[in-house]
Amino acid sequence: KAPISDAKKLLLLIMLIINPVVFYFSWISAEVFICSCVILTMLFWSRNEYKKAAIAVSIASTLNPAILALAIVMILDFLADLFRQKTMKSFKDIRACFKRNSESLFLYGCCYVIALIPFIYNYSQVGSINLTAALPRFRDSTGTLPRFLAYLFDLNFGFLPYFSLLFLLFLLLIPFAVIYKKTRYILITIGFFGTVAIYSIMSHINCGFSAIARYSVWCAPVMLFGVA
């Protein structure tokens, strides 16, 4: 894959600099660190450095597992990249491909072990894989869709007011990505909306301070890299 051009690098820098993460620099919380990890994830993924991307997203997930929605599409992209190297005509070809790349698959899988550590520790200590999710009335499936739409479009804390034209461009590019079979953009889109959908399961809008919803701060770089 060709390296990222200087023009795209400049565009990414500009978009990341104006990211509303600046609202949270004075707040001692995980959001700024998760945002940094997600930026590294997207940078490594854009350069097809799959193992580095997996490690970065795994570290981010130790602070909020919702970002693992992005990990799922990254795994699919990694497997698709393996299959693209050879012609697959039968199940035998697929099995041979897995066998031939067993070491690479094992090492790639190990990169996600970091993400499992909090789940294992929490379950061993309190009997739940996630402490927050174990709280009474944490989940509210009936309100998931309204919260999902609010995180995207609400004029107080959604993506729309803080990214405006960039967010609309992100949505506009989706049908073109489908038409022209831009697989990476489609996967980025699924990862982005999947992450927002997961934290929309919570029964309340988790903004923290005023301004953009704090979970959306670290999800935003996924969209930014897609558009760039």
Side-chain angles (χ1 to χ4, degrees):
K1 184 178 177 64
I4 301 175
S5 67
D6 290 340
K8 288 183 178 179
K9 290 177 182 177
L10 178 61
L11 179 60
L12 274 171
L13 284 172
I14 293 172
M15 289 193 294
L16 291 171
I17 287 171
I18 63 174
N19 190 308
V21 71
V22 295
F23 285 114
Y24 298 95
F25 280 149
S26 60
W27 185 25
I28 303 174
S29 185
E31 270 62 35
V32 177
F33 180 74
I34 299 175
C35 184
S36 300
C37 290
V38 174
I39 291 172
L40 287 174
T41 298
M42 297 305 298
L43 176 63
F44 291 138
W45 188 19
S46 68
R47 295 161 58 177
N48 290 343
E49 297 179 5
Y50 293 104
K51 295 182 181 66
K52 291 180 180 179
I55 292 173
V57 79
S58 294
I59 293 173
S61 74
T62 62
L63 294 168
N64 196 308
I67 196 60
L68 288 177
L70 182 62
I72 293 173
V73 295
M74 285 167 50
I75 291 171
L76 293 176
D77 190 48
F78 175 77
L79 294 175
D81 190 51
L82 286 181
F83 292 147
R84 280 194 293 265
Q85 298 173 14
K86 297 289 182 179
T87 302
M88 298 295 161
K89 295 182 179 180
S90 66
F91 178 76
K92 184 178 180 180
D93 292 333
I94 297 176
R95 185 174 60 182
C97 182
F98 272 103
K99 186 176 180 179
R100 185 170 53 253
N101 295 282
S102 57
E103 181 179 353
S104 180
L105 285 165
F106 175 75
L107 292 175
Y108 181 65
C110 287
C111 295
Y112 289 105
V113 171
I114 299 171
L116 301 178
I117 294 175
F119 295 136
I120 297 171
Y121 177 80
N122 289 334
Y123 188 79
S124 67
Q125 297 298 313
V126 299
S128 175
I129 62 173
N130 185 274
L131 298 179
T132 308
L135 295 173
R137 297 187 297 277
F138 170 79
R139 288 167 292 178
D140 174 24
S141 59
T142 58
T144 297
L145 180 58
R147 284 191 296 274
F148 175 77
L149 295 175
Y151 278 122
L152 297 179
F153 300 108
D154 188 274
L155 296 181
N156 292 309
F157 58 81
F159 284 99
L160 182 61
Y162 288 92
F163 291 95
S164 304
L165 295 177
L166 188 65
F167 178 64
L168 294 176
L169 179 60
F170 177 68
L171 299 178
L172 180 64
L173 290 175
I174 294 174
F176 290 98
V178 174
I179 294 171
Y180 292 103
K181 300 179 180 178
K182 299 297 182 180
T183 307
R184 179 64 62 83
Y185 192 86
I186 295 171
L187 290 174
I188 287 174
T189 302
I190 295 172
F192 174 81
F193 287 119
T195 302
V196 178
I198 291 176
Y199 61 71
S200 296
I201 295 174
M202 291 188 301
S203 58
H204 67 290
I205 297 291
N206 201 335
C207 290
F209 289 167
S210 59
I212 188 172
R214 61 190 181 96
Y215 290 164
S216 298
V217 164
W218 49 259
C219 186
V222 181
M223 172 185 64
L224 301 184
F225 271 79
V227 172

